[in-house]
Amino acid sequence: MWQRTAAARVWRMHAIGVDIGGTKIGIGVVNDHGEILASTKVKTDAQDAESINRDIATAVNMFAEDYEIGAVGVAAAGFIASDRKTVSFAPNIAWRNYPLSEKISELITIDVPVIVENDANAAGWAEYRFGAGRDSTDMLMLTIGTGLGGAIISDGQLLRGKHGVAAELGHVRLVP
């Protein structure tokens, strides 16, 4: 069940950010200041890639009714190909060499770029641009969730590495 947490017709270009986790997908509309204008979430069926694609497309299409969208950014755990369109390997979702950008683009009603990034890199870049790291040129961020990840910003550049996981400490399951 999709619900809008905020809705207002605006005439500025915005982006949609998608965070795909092993248990939920969080999707939001953000402005150029990093402020979340609207958001929604839905449970993830980690073994059903097509349902993930449909859920993301449903939310993107819903938000595109109220906001002018210029791009969609998708954050996913795992190895992301250098084209930033393909998930080479995801530890918690059934993706192996999966063309995620293409799959989502086929289902959305707007013609915008869909960029895929490692979730820790995406979080690190957001923190660098809009959060605690915004006054820095160099930054290290650690993410703790289902696994342990990280992002490195050096001289204002995100260090991705060959598979987009330069700062990953490894996919480590945390057991309470």
Side-chain angles (χ1 to χ4, degrees):
M1 224 34 71
W2 293 100
Q3 288 186 338
R4 293 180 177 104
T5 57
R9 175 57 85 178
V10 294
W11 300 107
R12 297 178 58 195
M13 194 68 73
H14 302 308
I16 292 179
V18 180
D19 179 25
I20 302 172
T23 60
K24 71 162 181 56
I25 304 168
I27 304 166
V29 177
V30 296
N31 66 18
D32 56 355
H33 300 291
E35 299 165 329
I36 300 171
L37 305 176
S39 65
T40 190
K41 64 182 173 179
V42 66
K43 289 185 179 183
T44 304
D45 181 350
Q47 298 308 310
D48 185 355
E50 295 306 315
S51 74
I52 293 171
N53 301 340
R54 285 190 307 273
D55 288 341
I56 292 168
T58 297
V60 168
N61 292 336
M62 177 185 72
F63 287 136
E65 293 175 7
D66 295 316
Y67 296 91
E68 188 172 353
I69 305 300
V72 176
V74 181
F79 291 69
I80 308 300
S82 61
D83 66 3
R84 297 181 56 198
K85 296 179 179 187
T86 305
V87 179
S88 302
F89 171 80
N92 57 351
I93 305 233
W95 290 329
R96 305 297 181 265
N97 296 313
Y98 191 76
L100 183 58
S101 174
E102 177 185 321
K103 297 287 189 177
I104 294 170
S105 293
E106 290 171 354
L107 296 173
I108 61 177
T109 58
I110 54 177
D111 184 21
V112 297
V114 177
I115 305 299
V116 181
E117 183 58 82
N118 170 271
D119 59 348
N121 283 347
W125 187 252
E127 197 66 37
Y128 169 71
R129 290 283 316 278
F130 305 111
R134 70 181 169 275
D135 295 324
S136 302
T137 57
D138 303 288
M139 185 186 93
L140 168 67
M141 178 174 176
L142 298 177
T143 59
I144 302 172
T146 304
L148 184 60
I152 299 171
I153 309 294
S154 178
D155 198 24
Q157 301 293 314
L158 174 65
L159 300 182
R160 295 188 75 254
K162 183 176 179 180
H163 297 288
V165 291
E168 291 293 314
L169 301 173
H171 188 77
V172 179
R173 278 209 139 133
L174 301 179
V175 179

